[in-house]
Amino acid sequence: MIHSTLGVIIAVFFLISIISLLWWMLHVPPIIPQVAARAHREVEALKNLLIPTQGMAYSERGVELACRLGMEQNATLIFAYVIEVPRTLPLNAEMGNEDKVAQEAISHAEQLAALHKMKNKSLIVRSRSAGEEIVKLAREQEADVIVMGIRQHIGLKENILGRTSDIVLRKAPCEVIIDKLPGEEET
Amino acid sequence: MIHSTLGVIIAVFFLISIISLLWWMLHVPPIIPQVAARAHREVEALKNLLIPTQGMAYSERGVELACRLGMEQNATLIFAYVIEVPRTLPLNAEMGNEDKVAQEAISHAEQLAALHKMKNKSLIVRSRSAGEEIVKLAREQEADVIVMGIRQHIGLKENILGRTSDIVLRKAPCEVIIDKLPGEEET
Amino acid sequence: MVSDNTSTPPSPELPHELRRDITVWGSYMWGYADVGADIYAALGLVIAAAQGAASLAFAAAGIVYIMIGFAYTELAATYPVAGGGHYFALRGLGDFWGFTTGVALLLDYTIDIALFAVASAGYVNFFLPYFGIEPSHFVFMLGSLKINYLWLSESFAFILFLIWLNIIGIKESSLFNELIGAFDISIESSVIVFGFLFAWKPEYLIQQWQTSFPTLHQFMYGSSLGIISFVGLESISQAAQETKRPATIIPRTSVTLIFTVFIFATAFSTLSLGVLPWQTFAQHIGDPIATLAHAIPYIGLFAGPITALLGATILLISANSGVMSASRLTYSMSEFGLITKWFDKVSPKYRTPVRTIVVFSVIGIVEMLLSFLTPQAMDTLGNMYAFGATLGYLIVFVALIRLRFSDPYTPRPYKMPLNLKIHYKDRIVDFPVLGILGFLGVGMVLFEVILTHKIGRIAGPAWVVLGIVYYIYFRKKNNMPVTKSIERNWEAHQMDVLISAEEFDLAEEYRIALKERDEKLKKHEQIKTDR
Amino acid sequence: MVSDNTSTPPSPELPHELRRDITVWGSYMWGYADVGADIYAALGLVIAAAQGAASLAFAAAGIVYIMIGFAYTELAATYPVAGGGHYFALRGLGDFWGFTTGVALLLDYTIDIALFAVASAGYVNFFLPYFGIEPSHFVFMLGSLKINYLWLSESFAFILFLIWLNIIGIKESSLFNELIGAFDISIESSVIVFGFLFAWKPEYLIQQWQTSFPTLHQFMYGSSLGIISFVGLESISQAAQETKRPATIIPRTSVTLIFTVFIFATAFSTLSLGVLPWQTFAQHIGDPIATLAHAIPYIGLFAGPITALLGATILLISANSGVMSASRLTYSMSEFGLITKWFDKVSPKYRTPVRTIVVFSVIGIVEMLLSFLTPQAMDTLGNMYAFGATLGYLIVFVALIRLRFSDPYTPRPYKMPLNLKIHYKDRIVDFPVLGILGFLGVGMVLFEVILTHKIGRIAGPAWVVLGIVYYIYFRKKNNMPVTKSIERNWEAHQMDVLISAEEFDLAEEYRIALKERDEKLKKHEQIKTDR
């Protein structure tokens, strides 16, 4: 003889909550092996990502890559646009619309960072050699990794990477990630 | 004169639900600029990631990187261990414990993929040249991108990348991402 | 916001397009304007029919309505252009069904204009005695018919005002809605809150539930009337092409509208039966909110003027919604070659489709005149209203299901919940289970409408048949296929729509989806030629 | 599972460690064994005090208890070693407080052994008449004191059995708990479900609430008694070093224990007052579950044997929990040089700390003998029980707060909710607001215990003071600092703990956190030397 519907509801609620608590308790997540843990945590430790950008589609690919890499640990993205000034000109020479191009490249990168809701700061610097400057910036900004999107240099047989990335790869004080798009189409 | 507490509860509930509905409606997410959308969507389109692994700490870094890159779009990771057989031996020669090493490298990669709950498959192949084989696998498996973690080659002045990565960068039919760890410490 | 430096310049090849001037609040209000008046009209009717179970009847109707709402939300977010149901049917089922849906919905919008302008003027008459004017004096006899020419001219003036308002710009017309709508929502909310706080007796509601539970037939009739109070979501889609970032905003405003209207409808009916006996509402079918407000302490004192003001304004913006929607619907139909090209013209000065605004508002005026001349006309129009809406919705459900198969590449930022993944031609298609349920639900209501509405079941289909006759004549005359559709490049069109809507993310998603499909096709062909 | 090929080999330098043999269910049951018996004891007391508001009193006590639970969950997951509260205090506040907490908790565990073995034997006596044995015949007189020597020897036998069980292995001892615990949970759940289905009258509960609401003083007393029913979470931490993957499993079992006990306590009290008047429970304080079960249809028929069996078993595993916890606590205290090193020895054969098991169970036997010889001893022990637990918990809360500042690098897989981010020495520290509230809550309970428990407020502190006297003597004798702590390499120790627990992910997190700190320190020093 059931006395009240409220009693039935409480009884059912009691059973459901006890059973679901025990069910949850017994379903322990699987063990994380040491190798997996190490690779995962070391990437997690990358807090400062330096991303040299040129404002081209391939640079933005690098920015997106950096966003994915840094999202989980809420890393800081440092965007850098290096204006290469030829040695024939003084370092602070007027360079046509280079400043405007730099601004635009940086703003595109910032939009991507905003899409992923990531902390970021931007630098526009002038230098004789982009490669050397990037290495210097990595040291100054205490970057944990440099992420670069690069272009296919068609016909460049002896060095597939181009001058800048070659210097960065050789001299960088930190990890370097190079993202090379295939050469066929450039949007 | 308030007639019933239930009435008060309903009135409050009514107000809260109407106000919160309108509040939610009025808080539109910000616009996604075209550049950001393009970079984001193009990375999202990478569905097959080929990850050559050597079972070293630097290879696992590449695996972790690929996981981060493919997580959002639930991409498939294809792990490949290439056993390089010297030209002096037949291709199916006994190679000491190479098979065991390969198995272990693949299993580490699979553990990382499992940590990120990602689809993956694994290949162990024998070849004369690891680089050529990776390029061939990328074509066969319709890889959208090859992700490789590499080692610092100390003293190798003329080619910073090493033979395998150089071949892959030159001949790959798709995007290539190279992750170079700094040379100082190898765990 | 970073959007300013990336907004697209107006396309040079289409110099006179509609202008994107509607904000989030505006989009919501185009829907609310339409729906708000519907509740006003339906509350009394539903209580009279469903008696003690009126809240349940509203809730039951609400379930069908929520499914319609989800379907419109998906489609409007996917295809953010003017045209609403007609456009979805055109995309999914071809020209003929696009036209049929359009003509069914057009019926509703012109009736909106006529019915609600007249009803709004009726509420205005409440205030005239305070200014020494007695509306009932302004009457002349036409045969045996008494015609109130003051009321008639007021209604006429209202429609003329709305025509003018809609011509000068969607921004102005939308602003008018936004202000009045905000006022009306506040008043309605106050009535509900005050009512529940100071007048509502739960024991009274329970007693009515127990003693006056309707028969099944009464209940079903009541809940089919409840559907009327939920018509109106369409207007949000009609304004899509003039809404900023429609693919983002329309899902939000639609979902909000679905739930606010659902909450209002159940709250009003629950409140009503906890304050007054259902018989009282049955006796005052025409003005349930005023009846209710009179019975609530504090606000009861102002109930007369407040509810009259509320009625006058909410019905006026509802008529405004009718003018806007009728013009955009026909503009779109003309653009796609379903009716004469003459309507496909945007005023260069105001960026509004002046021709359709004038022509279809005039049709509304004609309907209004009829309703003054023949006493049954009002009933007839009401009956046709239900027929037009349900027929349109029924076709839209079919289009929704069809489009899931025929156009899987267009990104759907919002999908109806409850889908089954099924294999279809090498692809995985999300089959919408709720779409089928919605189709059956609306089908049942349409069946009931045809069964119970004596005039509507003749006049409604008659309007649609008349429309189809015109369609056949028009297409033949212009050497266009009648049963088949005109060839159109939907993909380029869709891409243009997304870009012009500043939905870059969706545009990229679409571009990549098409690219992947093309690559797949190319590979398939290669395999074929290799053989 | 892929874990097998990566499990660590046993460290060669510590050949005789405790063995990780406790599973999820085992870990949960070590806690439940302790708590289950406590509800059994407290239900009648709380109802007698809080009358119609007993459920509310349990809920109020539950809030303090949930905070204690969260604190233990955080600490046990962060430091997955044996020792429980004593270890946390040692890490957070140093050797002296580590010892004080340990000695307070040790009091509780030895009382556990004595009290619950005796009570369990009491329930066993229920069955003896069915075998023709009348327990009340086995009595001899000692002066004016009647001593039941059958009961005494039963209790003695039980404790000997538990000593043997715990010596042969944690796996065996845990299995014993797991089986009996599962049975007891099922029985208790059945009583609740059957009760709510067939005997519970909500109107009866409401009537008691309205007519027998306690005074504030009665209510507070009742809810302070309610805390007793919640003591016992500690045991999960004591078993941590023998639990598989403790940092993952212990948060789960603790949280589950917190909520199941909370649900059981509120359900039992709500059920009781909806079935019988509170006065009935006040008259049968000693056996509330049996009283309740008798009043429920169907199961009422078996109520006598079932509740006797339930009582006997649940009290026996509670005593088992006391034996295990007392031995691990003292093992850990010895390991860290707080008591003689003689106890820091694991049997090479069984991998259990045989010496501590035997010695501290014998202390339990002594307490048991006392309780048979002096009728007040039972009361005294009960009073001391509350004192020991609350003092221990109070220190643990301080340790929790302190550790957030002093040891921010150890990964905390679970953190108490509600934290304030504050700056402290160039770092951001999560300051635990709930820790402060918990401290105040437990502090209030301790205050109440000292105020109301006449014997406890003398005997409890006396035990602690006695302990401290031993501590001073021991540390002086061995040339160890008394007020200060021994230097220990906590970082290496923590890393060992994490690795041996197979919590590789946490170990990596810890390694990287320490590396980052070291780099920061190096840079700071460089800047200093550069000046």
Side-chain angles (χ1 to χ4, degrees), chain B residues 1 3 24-25 27 29 31-32 38 41-42 142, chain C residues 198 245 252 256 502 505 508-509 511-512 523:
Chain B
M1 260 274 306
H3 272 278
W24 171 79
M25 179 185 82
H27 286 74
I31 205 166
I32 298 172
R38 175 153 299 182
R41 289 291 177 189
E42 287 203 333
E142 297 179 347
Chain C
F198 303 116
R245 302 180 59 209
R252 295 188 158 246
T256 308
E502 296 192 34
D505 196 41
E508 284 301 319
E509 195 181 335
R511 192 175 62 78
I512 287 170
K523 205 179 297 161

PDB file of all heavy atoms in Angstrom, chain B residues 1 3 24-25 27 29 31-32 38 41-42 142, chain C residues 198 245 252 256 502 505 508-509 511-512 523:
ATOM      1  N   MET B   1      -1.548  43.055  -0.883  1.00  0.00           N
ATOM      2  CA  MET B   1      -1.790  41.793  -0.166  1.00  0.00           C
ATOM      3  C   MET B   1      -1.391  40.572  -1.003  1.00  0.00           C
ATOM      4  O   MET B   1      -2.016  40.276  -2.018  1.00  0.00           O
ATOM      5  CB  MET B   1      -3.294  41.700   0.164  1.00  0.00           C
ATOM      6  CG  MET B   1      -3.620  42.082   1.570  1.00  0.00           C
ATOM      7  SD  MET B   1      -3.433  40.641   2.626  1.00  0.00           S
ATOM      8  CE  MET B   1      -4.496  39.468   1.784  1.00  0.00           C
ATOM      9  N   HIS B   3      -1.230  36.796  -1.960  1.00  0.00           N
ATOM     10  CA  HIS B   3      -2.132  35.686  -1.712  1.00  0.00           C
ATOM     11  C   HIS B   3      -1.435  34.365  -1.433  1.00  0.00           C
ATOM     12  O   HIS B   3      -1.901  33.574  -0.633  1.00  0.00           O
ATOM     13  CB  HIS B   3      -3.075  35.493  -2.910  1.00  0.00           C
ATOM     14  CG  HIS B   3      -4.302  36.322  -2.803  1.00  0.00           C
ATOM     15  ND1 HIS B   3      -5.386  35.969  -2.066  1.00  0.00           N
ATOM     16  CD2 HIS B   3      -4.592  37.523  -3.324  1.00  0.00           C
ATOM     17  CE1 HIS B   3      -6.308  36.904  -2.150  1.00  0.00           C
ATOM     18  NE2 HIS B   3      -5.850  37.865  -2.915  1.00  0.00           N
ATOM     19  N   TRP B  24      20.552  37.167 -22.798  1.00  0.00           N
ATOM     20  CA  TRP B  24      21.315  36.255 -23.661  1.00  0.00           C
ATOM     21  C   TRP B  24      21.219  36.694 -25.112  1.00  0.00           C
ATOM     22  O   TRP B  24      22.204  36.740 -25.840  1.00  0.00           O
ATOM     23  CB  TRP B  24      20.789  34.831 -23.497  1.00  0.00           C
ATOM     24  CG  TRP B  24      21.359  33.876 -24.494  1.00  0.00           C
ATOM     25  CD1 TRP B  24      22.577  33.293 -24.456  1.00  0.00           C
ATOM     26  CD2 TRP B  24      20.731  33.401 -25.690  1.00  0.00           C
ATOM     27  NE1 TRP B  24      22.754  32.494 -25.552  1.00  0.00           N
ATOM     28  CE2 TRP B  24      21.645  32.541 -26.330  1.00  0.00           C
ATOM     29  CE3 TRP B  24      19.491  33.628 -26.288  1.00  0.00           C
ATOM     30  CZ2 TRP B  24      21.349  31.905 -27.524  1.00  0.00           C
ATOM     31  CZ3 TRP B  24      19.203  32.993 -27.484  1.00  0.00           C
ATOM     32  CH2 TRP B  24      20.120  32.144 -28.088  1.00  0.00           C
ATOM     33  N   MET B  25      19.989  37.034 -25.531  1.00  0.00           N
ATOM     34  CA  MET B  25      19.775  37.401 -26.927  1.00  0.00           C
ATOM     35  C   MET B  25      20.617  38.612 -27.305  1.00  0.00           C
ATOM     36  O   MET B  25      21.236  38.653 -28.369  1.00  0.00           O
ATOM     37  CB  MET B  25      18.294  37.701 -27.163  1.00  0.00           C
ATOM     38  CG  MET B  25      17.973  38.117 -28.577  1.00  0.00           C
ATOM     39  SD  MET B  25      16.246  38.601 -28.765  1.00  0.00           S
ATOM     40  CE  MET B  25      16.303  40.289 -28.189  1.00  0.00           C
ATOM     41  N   HIS B  27      23.380  39.696 -26.091  1.00  0.00           N
ATOM     42  CA  HIS B  27      24.835  39.545 -26.053  1.00  0.00           C
ATOM     43  C   HIS B  27      25.326  38.657 -27.194  1.00  0.00           C
ATOM     44  O   HIS B  27      25.615  37.489 -27.019  1.00  0.00           O
ATOM     45  CB  HIS B  27      25.289  39.021 -24.697  1.00  0.00           C
ATOM     46  CG  HIS B  27      25.204  40.077 -23.659  1.00  0.00           C
ATOM     47  ND1 HIS B  27      24.013  40.497 -23.124  1.00  0.00           N
ATOM     48  CD2 HIS B  27      26.149  40.862 -23.091  1.00  0.00           C
ATOM     49  CE1 HIS B  27      24.236  41.459 -22.257  1.00  0.00           C
ATOM     50  NE2 HIS B  27      25.511  41.701 -22.215  1.00  0.00           N
ATOM     51  N   PRO B  29      27.798  37.230 -29.958  1.00  0.00           N
ATOM     52  CA  PRO B  29      29.251  37.074 -30.043  1.00  0.00           C
ATOM     53  C   PRO B  29      29.827  38.003 -31.097  1.00  0.00           C
ATOM     54  O   PRO B  29      29.146  38.339 -32.068  1.00  0.00           O
ATOM     55  CB  PRO B  29      29.421  35.603 -30.446  1.00  0.00           C
ATOM     56  CG  PRO B  29      28.122  35.189 -31.020  1.00  0.00           C
ATOM     57  CD  PRO B  29      27.079  36.025 -30.344  1.00  0.00           C
ATOM     58  N   ILE B  31      31.876  39.679 -34.224  1.00  0.00           N
ATOM     59  CA  ILE B  31      32.010  39.267 -35.625  1.00  0.00           C
ATOM     60  C   ILE B  31      33.374  38.601 -35.817  1.00  0.00           C
ATOM     61  O   ILE B  31      34.342  38.960 -35.155  1.00  0.00           O
ATOM     62  CB  ILE B  31      31.856  40.511 -36.522  1.00  0.00           C
ATOM     63  CG1 ILE B  31      31.388  40.129 -37.911  1.00  0.00           C
ATOM     64  CG2 ILE B  31      33.126  41.321 -36.557  1.00  0.00           C
ATOM     65  CD1 ILE B  31      30.902  41.341 -38.691  1.00  0.00           C
ATOM     66  N   ILE B  32      33.432  37.610 -36.693  1.00  0.00           N
ATOM     67  CA  ILE B  32      34.713  36.957 -37.000  1.00  0.00           C
ATOM     68  C   ILE B  32      35.223  37.520 -38.321  1.00  0.00           C
ATOM     69  O   ILE B  32      34.597  37.322 -39.357  1.00  0.00           O
ATOM     70  CB  ILE B  32      34.537  35.432 -37.091  1.00  0.00           C
ATOM     71  CG1 ILE B  32      34.072  34.888 -35.746  1.00  0.00           C
ATOM     72  CG2 ILE B  32      35.831  34.769 -37.517  1.00  0.00           C
ATOM     73  CD1 ILE B  32      33.679  33.434 -35.800  1.00  0.00           C
ATOM     74  N   ARG B  38      39.312  32.580 -42.371  1.00  0.00           N
ATOM     75  CA  ARG B  38      39.973  31.750 -43.380  1.00  0.00           C
ATOM     76  C   ARG B  38      41.064  30.886 -42.764  1.00  0.00           C
ATOM     77  O   ARG B  38      41.091  29.664 -42.951  1.00  0.00           O
ATOM     78  CB  ARG B  38      40.547  32.631 -44.489  1.00  0.00           C
ATOM     79  CG  ARG B  38      41.358  31.843 -45.496  1.00  0.00           C
ATOM     80  CD  ARG B  38      41.372  32.481 -46.850  1.00  0.00           C
ATOM     81  NE  ARG B  38      40.025  32.593 -47.413  1.00  0.00           N
ATOM     82  CZ  ARG B  38      39.779  33.092 -48.613  1.00  0.00           C
ATOM     83  NH1 ARG B  38      40.757  33.536 -49.359  1.00  0.00           N
ATOM     84  NH2 ARG B  38      38.545  33.166 -49.068  1.00  0.00           N
ATOM     85  N   ARG B  41      39.420  28.169 -40.562  1.00  0.00           N
ATOM     86  CA  ARG B  41      38.718  27.114 -41.294  1.00  0.00           C
ATOM     87  C   ARG B  41      39.664  26.239 -42.087  1.00  0.00           C
ATOM     88  O   ARG B  41      39.407  25.056 -42.278  1.00  0.00           O
ATOM     89  CB  ARG B  41      37.670  27.730 -42.236  1.00  0.00           C
ATOM     90  CG  ARG B  41      36.482  28.309 -41.520  1.00  0.00           C
ATOM     91  CD  ARG B  41      35.642  27.215 -40.906  1.00  0.00           C
ATOM     92  NE  ARG B  41      34.538  27.781 -40.155  1.00  0.00           N
ATOM     93  CZ  ARG B  41      33.736  27.072 -39.369  1.00  0.00           C
ATOM     94  NH1 ARG B  41      33.930  25.792 -39.228  1.00  0.00           N
ATOM     95  NH2 ARG B  41      32.764  27.648 -38.720  1.00  0.00           N
ATOM     96  N   GLU B  42      40.744  26.839 -42.602  1.00  0.00           N
ATOM     97  CA  GLU B  42      41.668  26.024 -43.399  1.00  0.00           C
ATOM     98  C   GLU B  42      42.393  25.018 -42.520  1.00  0.00           C
ATOM     99  O   GLU B  42      42.623  23.885 -42.939  1.00  0.00           O
ATOM    100  CB  GLU B  42      42.645  26.919 -44.155  1.00  0.00           C
ATOM    101  CG  GLU B  42      41.934  27.614 -45.306  1.00  0.00           C
ATOM    102  CD  GLU B  42      42.883  28.059 -46.385  1.00  0.00           C
ATOM    103  OE1 GLU B  42      44.056  28.298 -46.058  1.00  0.00           O
ATOM    104  OE2 GLU B  42      42.435  28.177 -47.538  1.00  0.00           O
ATOM    105  N   GLU B 142      46.665  10.053 -48.399  1.00  0.00           N
ATOM    106  CA  GLU B 142      45.997  11.336 -48.614  1.00  0.00           C
ATOM    107  C   GLU B 142      46.138  12.261 -47.416  1.00  0.00           C
ATOM    108  O   GLU B 142      45.167  12.891 -46.958  1.00  0.00           O
ATOM    109  CB  GLU B 142      44.515  11.124 -48.937  1.00  0.00           C
ATOM    110  CG  GLU B 142      44.327  10.356 -50.238  1.00  0.00           C
ATOM    111  CD  GLU B 142      42.869  10.122 -50.573  1.00  0.00           C
ATOM    112  OE1 GLU B 142      42.042  10.331 -49.676  1.00  0.00           O
ATOM    113  OE2 GLU B 142      42.585   9.765 -51.713  1.00  0.00           O
TER     114      GLU B 142
ATOM    115  N   PHE C 198      -0.437  39.579  -6.420  1.00  0.00           N
ATOM    116  CA  PHE C 198      -1.518  40.123  -5.597  1.00  0.00           C
ATOM    117  C   PHE C 198      -2.898  39.539  -5.856  1.00  0.00           C
ATOM    118  O   PHE C 198      -3.834  39.853  -5.123  1.00  0.00           O
ATOM    119  CB  PHE C 198      -1.577  41.646  -5.763  1.00  0.00           C
ATOM    120  CG  PHE C 198      -0.290  42.319  -5.412  1.00  0.00           C
ATOM    121  CD1 PHE C 198       0.444  43.003  -6.370  1.00  0.00           C
ATOM    122  CD2 PHE C 198       0.224  42.241  -4.119  1.00  0.00           C
ATOM    123  CE1 PHE C 198       1.643  43.616  -6.050  1.00  0.00           C
ATOM    124  CE2 PHE C 198       1.409  42.852  -3.792  1.00  0.00           C
ATOM    125  CZ  PHE C 198       2.125  43.536  -4.759  1.00  0.00           C
ATOM    126  N   ARG C 245      24.310  40.883 -39.751  1.00  0.00           N
ATOM    127  CA  ARG C 245      24.814  39.548 -39.361  1.00  0.00           C
ATOM    128  C   ARG C 245      23.686  38.553 -39.096  1.00  0.00           C
ATOM    129  O   ARG C 245      23.611  37.957 -38.015  1.00  0.00           O
ATOM    130  CB  ARG C 245      25.711  39.670 -38.134  1.00  0.00           C
ATOM    131  CG  ARG C 245      26.888  40.595 -38.355  1.00  0.00           C
ATOM    132  CD  ARG C 245      27.734  40.686 -37.123  1.00  0.00           C
ATOM    133  NE  ARG C 245      28.224  39.384 -36.755  1.00  0.00           N
ATOM    134  CZ  ARG C 245      28.496  39.035 -35.516  1.00  0.00           C
ATOM    135  NH1 ARG C 245      28.280  39.866 -34.529  1.00  0.00           N
ATOM    136  NH2 ARG C 245      28.961  37.847 -35.264  1.00  0.00           N
ATOM    137  N   ARG C 252      19.380  33.629 -32.544  1.00  0.00           N
ATOM    138  CA  ARG C 252      19.175  34.140 -31.184  1.00  0.00           C
ATOM    139  C   ARG C 252      17.798  34.744 -31.023  1.00  0.00           C
ATOM    140  O   ARG C 252      17.101  34.477 -30.046  1.00  0.00           O
ATOM    141  CB  ARG C 252      20.190  35.241 -30.877  1.00  0.00           C
ATOM    142  CG  ARG C 252      21.557  34.713 -30.860  1.00  0.00           C
ATOM    143  CD  ARG C 252      22.544  35.729 -30.371  1.00  0.00           C
ATOM    144  NE  ARG C 252      23.643  34.940 -29.924  1.00  0.00           N
ATOM    145  CZ  ARG C 252      24.046  34.838 -28.682  1.00  0.00           C
ATOM    146  NH1 ARG C 252      23.492  35.557 -27.748  1.00  0.00           N
ATOM    147  NH2 ARG C 252      25.014  34.032 -28.364  1.00  0.00           N
ATOM    148  N   THR C 256      14.814  33.156 -28.733  1.00  0.00           N
ATOM    149  CA  THR C 256      14.273  33.987 -27.655  1.00  0.00           C
ATOM    150  C   THR C 256      12.782  34.197 -27.845  1.00  0.00           C
ATOM    151  O   THR C 256      11.996  34.111 -26.894  1.00  0.00           O
ATOM    152  CB  THR C 256      15.004  35.343 -27.623  1.00  0.00           C
ATOM    153  OG1 THR C 256      16.397  35.112 -27.588  1.00  0.00           O
ATOM    154  CG2 THR C 256      14.597  36.142 -26.403  1.00  0.00           C
ATOM    155  N   GLU C 502      28.279  39.497 -43.934  1.00  0.00           N
ATOM    156  CA  GLU C 502      29.478  39.553 -43.092  1.00  0.00           C
ATOM    157  C   GLU C 502      29.652  38.297 -42.248  1.00  0.00           C
ATOM    158  O   GLU C 502      30.246  38.333 -41.174  1.00  0.00           O
ATOM    159  CB  GLU C 502      29.460  40.784 -42.186  1.00  0.00           C
ATOM    160  CG  GLU C 502      29.515  42.077 -42.978  1.00  0.00           C
ATOM    161  CD  GLU C 502      29.782  43.277 -42.068  1.00  0.00           C
ATOM    162  OE1 GLU C 502      30.513  43.125 -41.090  1.00  0.00           O
ATOM    163  OE2 GLU C 502      29.265  44.344 -42.381  1.00  0.00           O
ATOM    164  N   ASP C 505      32.956  33.574 -41.437  1.00  0.00           N
ATOM    165  CA  ASP C 505      33.306  32.247 -40.938  1.00  0.00           C
ATOM    166  C   ASP C 505      32.475  31.190 -41.670  1.00  0.00           C
ATOM    167  O   ASP C 505      32.998  30.166 -42.107  1.00  0.00           O
ATOM    168  CB  ASP C 505      33.059  32.190 -39.433  1.00  0.00           C
ATOM    169  CG  ASP C 505      33.750  31.009 -38.796  1.00  0.00           C
ATOM    170  OD1 ASP C 505      34.897  30.738 -39.184  1.00  0.00           O
ATOM    171  OD2 ASP C 505      33.142  30.360 -37.936  1.00  0.00           O
ATOM    172  N   GLU C 508      33.669  30.817 -45.265  1.00  0.00           N
ATOM    173  CA  GLU C 508      34.857  29.975 -45.376  1.00  0.00           C
ATOM    174  C   GLU C 508      34.497  28.500 -45.229  1.00  0.00           C
ATOM    175  O   GLU C 508      34.996  27.642 -45.952  1.00  0.00           O
ATOM    176  CB  GLU C 508      35.877  30.347 -44.292  1.00  0.00           C
ATOM    177  CG  GLU C 508      36.626  31.631 -44.563  1.00  0.00           C
ATOM    178  CD  GLU C 508      37.401  31.579 -45.869  1.00  0.00           C
ATOM    179  OE1 GLU C 508      38.007  30.548 -46.161  1.00  0.00           O
ATOM    180  OE2 GLU C 508      37.370  32.580 -46.611  1.00  0.00           O
ATOM    181  N   GLU C 509      33.621  28.218 -44.287  1.00  0.00           N
ATOM    182  CA  GLU C 509      33.203  26.840 -44.068  1.00  0.00           C
ATOM    183  C   GLU C 509      32.551  26.304 -45.351  1.00  0.00           C
ATOM    184  O   GLU C 509      32.825  25.176 -45.779  1.00  0.00           O
ATOM    185  CB  GLU C 509      32.197  26.792 -42.906  1.00  0.00           C
ATOM    186  CG  GLU C 509      31.980  25.394 -42.356  1.00  0.00           C
ATOM    187  CD  GLU C 509      30.953  25.373 -41.229  1.00  0.00           C
ATOM    188  OE1 GLU C 509      30.766  26.416 -40.562  1.00  0.00           O
ATOM    189  OE2 GLU C 509      30.328  24.323 -41.036  1.00  0.00           O
ATOM    190  N   ARG C 511      33.000  27.442 -48.473  1.00  0.00           N
ATOM    191  CA  ARG C 511      33.994  27.344 -49.525  1.00  0.00           C
ATOM    192  C   ARG C 511      34.778  26.030 -49.406  1.00  0.00           C
ATOM    193  O   ARG C 511      34.979  25.305 -50.387  1.00  0.00           O
ATOM    194  CB  ARG C 511      34.962  28.534 -49.422  1.00  0.00           C
ATOM    195  CG  ARG C 511      35.881  28.731 -50.616  1.00  0.00           C
ATOM    196  CD  ARG C 511      36.700  29.992 -50.463  1.00  0.00           C
ATOM    197  NE  ARG C 511      37.580  29.956 -49.297  1.00  0.00           N
ATOM    198  CZ  ARG C 511      38.750  29.292 -49.252  1.00  0.00           C
ATOM    199  NH1 ARG C 511      39.173  28.632 -50.301  1.00  0.00           N
ATOM    200  NH2 ARG C 511      39.485  29.301 -48.156  1.00  0.00           N
ATOM    201  N   ILE C 512      35.179  25.717 -48.170  1.00  0.00           N
ATOM    202  CA  ILE C 512      35.977  24.505 -47.972  1.00  0.00           C
ATOM    203  C   ILE C 512      35.138  23.253 -48.212  1.00  0.00           C
ATOM    204  O   ILE C 512      35.601  22.276 -48.812  1.00  0.00           O
ATOM    205  CB  ILE C 512      36.614  24.519 -46.566  1.00  0.00           C
ATOM    206  CG1 ILE C 512      37.735  25.553 -46.558  1.00  0.00           C
ATOM    207  CG2 ILE C 512      37.145  23.151 -46.180  1.00  0.00           C
ATOM    208  CD1 ILE C 512      38.302  25.859 -45.211  1.00  0.00           C
ATOM    209  N   LYS C 523      38.057  12.956 -58.157  1.00  0.00           N
ATOM    210  CA  LYS C 523      38.684  11.664 -57.937  1.00  0.00           C
ATOM    211  C   LYS C 523      37.800  10.525 -58.470  1.00  0.00           C
ATOM    212  O   LYS C 523      38.255   9.604 -59.133  1.00  0.00           O
ATOM    213  CB  LYS C 523      38.972  11.471 -56.448  1.00  0.00           C
ATOM    214  CG  LYS C 523      40.096  10.498 -56.195  1.00  0.00           C
ATOM    215  CD  LYS C 523      40.357  10.348 -54.709  1.00  0.00           C
ATOM    216  CE  LYS C 523      40.813  11.648 -54.081  1.00  0.00           C
ATOM    217  NZ  LYS C 523      40.635  11.641 -52.623  1.00  0.00           N
TER     218      LYS C 523
END
